[in-house]
Amino acid sequence: MNQNMPTQLVIGCFIALSCAPWWVYSQNGDNRTLVNMTLVRNASVLGAYCLDGSLPAYHLDRGFGAGARNWLLQFEGGGWCNDIPSCLERAKTHRGSTRFMNKLEVFSGILSNNASLNPDFYNWNRVKLRYCDGASFAGDAKFDNGTSLLYFRGQRIWRAIIQDLLPKGLGQARKALLSGCSAGGLASFLHCDNLTNYLPKNTSVKCLSDAGFFLDERDISLNHSMRSFYESLISLHGVEQNLDKSCTGFRYYPAQCFFPQYALKYIRTPFFVLNSAYDVYQFHHILVPPSADPKGHWYHCKLNPAACNAAQIRILQGFRKDMLLALSFFYRHSRRGGMFINSCFAHCQSESQETWFAADSPRVNNKSRSTKSYHRP
């Protein structure tokens, strides 16, 4: 461990925990808050549109008391689209259009307003940024062939939402935490430093990614399936121009800077990584995508890890080792960051009450994922 690193920030580094299976977490009830949607009416001025041309949106639950000047911004997740057919299909759903989104959104876990369920952030201004662009809020392009029209405007959506929130109090924030889950967790890596450009110099800004550390890893057939997927996504959405210039200027393949393992070392803002070393999404779509397992040898293992045979377990352990290796530079050299890495078969742990802050939540050294030590000024 770096002797100069604040130990309270290094929570659960590379520790395997005993956890309930990932499928259990989605079955338990939450004490939840419903928050109304706010459309960004001025988004059209910036050309900020969802895939189908609808206006972007967010949900804001106002802070109070000691948290009235603190802000938590949470990117919504939901995968990506990397070609015209998949993006056209996505544009007809809540993943690509605010027209199909629920107007009330559940706030639980890190977004809860209940002090006993979310002691660190319950009284902050909590915002959920709705995801409707298909590229982790990072693209800036448009497709129009005279018949179909798609807007790849994630970067503009990000800017439009922030500019809408600034006069509502974000511009006077004392503390700000940029967070996100899955594709939203990836967006936290991509936009972390940019948030500081909008806020006062004395604002304490930090970032957190939940299940957003997607690996540049070969699948079981030894193909770089995820790298190929991201390359086509970056090209279609016009993402490369919005990637960190320090990263893209250093790498032979600039598109790799969409992967957190390459981008993280260039992020200047304090960062916290929350991830499972056996992330279920990555297990199913990066390590063992359907294209790599046409005969379904991994079907039962993917359905229930207890059904994995010895060879499959070795491959899974190798994936875990590769994730820890990809995080090792950050672990050794970060002076203002930290991580909570467990070995649960899970994906996204901050928005569910059971995995965020509950009596039986996984802990390391008696610290859960929700901890005040990270966001103290």
Side-chain angles (χ1 to χ4, degrees):
M1 180 185 298
N2 186 331
Q3 296 301 312
N4 295 317
M5 184 186 295
T7 56
Q8 71 268 27
L9 300 187
V10 189
I11 301 171
C13 292
F14 308 170
I15 301 295
L17 299 179
S18 175
C19 311
W22 68 270
W23 57 86
V24 172
Y25 295 137
S26 62
Q27 297 175 358
N28 298 330
D30 287 346
N31 186 338
R32 300 174 295 181
T33 302
L34 293 174
V35 181
N36 281 311
M37 173 187 285
T38 299
L39 288 175
V40 184
R41 300 293 180 183
N42 292 330
S44 57
V45 176
L46 296 176
Y49 302 108
C50 297
L51 284 171
D52 70 332
S54 58
L55 292 175
Y58 60 85
H59 300 255
L60 166 61
D61 196 23
R62 285 286 187 178
F64 55 92
R69 290 187 57 199
N70 299 335
W71 287 75
L72 168 62
L73 308 175
Q74 177 84 352
F75 284 116
E76 183 180 27
W80 312 270
C81 62
N82 70 326
D83 55 32
I84 297 302
S86 64
C87 289
L88 284 172
E89 188 62 31
R90 189 180 181 94
K92 301 173 186 175
T93 74
H94 69 285
R95 296 300 186 195
S97 172
T98 50
R99 296 187 180 99
F100 301 107
M101 291 180 182
N102 293 329
K103 301 306 181 282
L104 292 173
E105 184 69 3
V106 172
F107 273 29
S108 63
I110 195 172
L111 293 172
S112 173
N113 65 353
N114 187 315
S116 64
L117 300 178
N118 186 29
D120 300 338
F121 305 108
Y122 74 97
N123 60 353
W124 288 34
N125 296 281
R126 287 153 290 107
V127 186
K128 187 163 192 175
L129 287 68
R130 298 308 300 267
Y131 182 36
C132 65
D133 66 278
S136 290
F137 296 82
D140 193 358
K142 184 172 75 170
F143 171 80
D144 186 356
N145 65 358
T147 302
S148 300
L149 175 62
L150 288 168
Y151 292 92
F152 305 121
R153 297 289 176 78
Q155 184 77 17
R156 301 192 195 195
I157 290 172
W158 156 250
R159 189 163 75 245
I161 292 177
I162 293 300
Q163 291 184 359
D164 201 63
L165 290 170
L166 288 174
K168 296 182 178 181
L170 179 61
Q172 291 77 46
R174 189 169 64 91
K175 297 180 184 179
L177 177 64
L178 182 65
S179 182
C181 161
S182 190
L186 177 56
S188 295
F189 287 103
L190 300 176
H191 293 292
C192 182
D193 283 341
N194 183 248
L195 177 61
T196 64
N197 296 333
Y198 293 97
L199 301 179
K201 296 298 183 183
N202 62 349
T203 302
S204 175
V205 182
K206 300 185 180 182
C207 303
L208 182 154
S209 171
D210 175 10
F213 199 84
F214 296 97
L215 285 184
D216 183 17
E217 180 87 350
R218 291 182 185 272
D219 62 32
I220 57 170
S221 62
L222 302 183
N223 292 318
H224 280 289
S225 299
M226 198 62 180
R227 184 188 297 180
S228 298
F229 180 90
Y230 276 167
E231 286 174 349
S232 57
L233 178 154
I234 289 167
S235 176
L236 177 66
H237 288 259
V239 170
E240 186 173 325
Q241 61 186 315
N242 296 319
L243 297 177
D244 189 306
K245 299 299 186 295
S246 298
C247 181
T248 58
F250 180 78
R251 302 208 65 82
Y252 185 76
Y253 297 107
Q256 285 185 303
C257 294
F258 199 69
F259 284 99
Q261 69 197 80
Y262 307 117
L264 181 56
K265 66 185 294 184
Y266 299 100
I267 296 175
R268 301 178 301 278
T269 308
F271 209 101
F272 196 94
V273 180
L274 165 60
N275 226 97
S276 168
Y278 296 113
D279 183 275
V280 170
Y281 180 90
Q282 298 195 58
F283 172 19
H284 291 188
H285 298 280
I286 296 180
L287 181 62
V288 192
S291 60
D293 186 34
K295 296 185 178 180
H297 295 304
W298 283 76
Y299 174 80
H300 294 291
C301 178
K302 291 167 76 171
L303 192 65
N304 179 3
C308 299
N309 60 39
Q312 291 168 333
I313 289 174
R314 284 195 297 271
I315 292 173
L316 283 170
Q317 290 175 335
F319 184 83
R320 175 184 181 275
K321 181 180 178 181
D322 289 345
M323 176 166 285
L324 301 184
L325 182 63
L327 283 162
S328 61
F329 181 89
F330 178 65
Y331 170 62
R332 291 195 304 267
H333 299 288
S334 175
R335 296 175 180 269
R336 297 189 299 164
M339 60 183 72
F340 191 115
I341 309 299
N342 60 38
S343 294
C344 303
F345 282 86
H347 183 67
C348 287
Q349 302 175 74
S350 64
E351 294 179 354
S352 169
Q353 201 58 59
E354 288 85 349
T355 52
W356 175 244
F357 191 82
D360 58 351
S361 294
R363 293 172 179 268
V364 173
N365 295 332
N366 202 34
K367 292 185 181 293
S368 68
R369 296 168 181 82
S370 174
T371 172
K372 291 184 177 179
S373 62
Y374 183 60
H375 63 82
R376 284 175 183 154

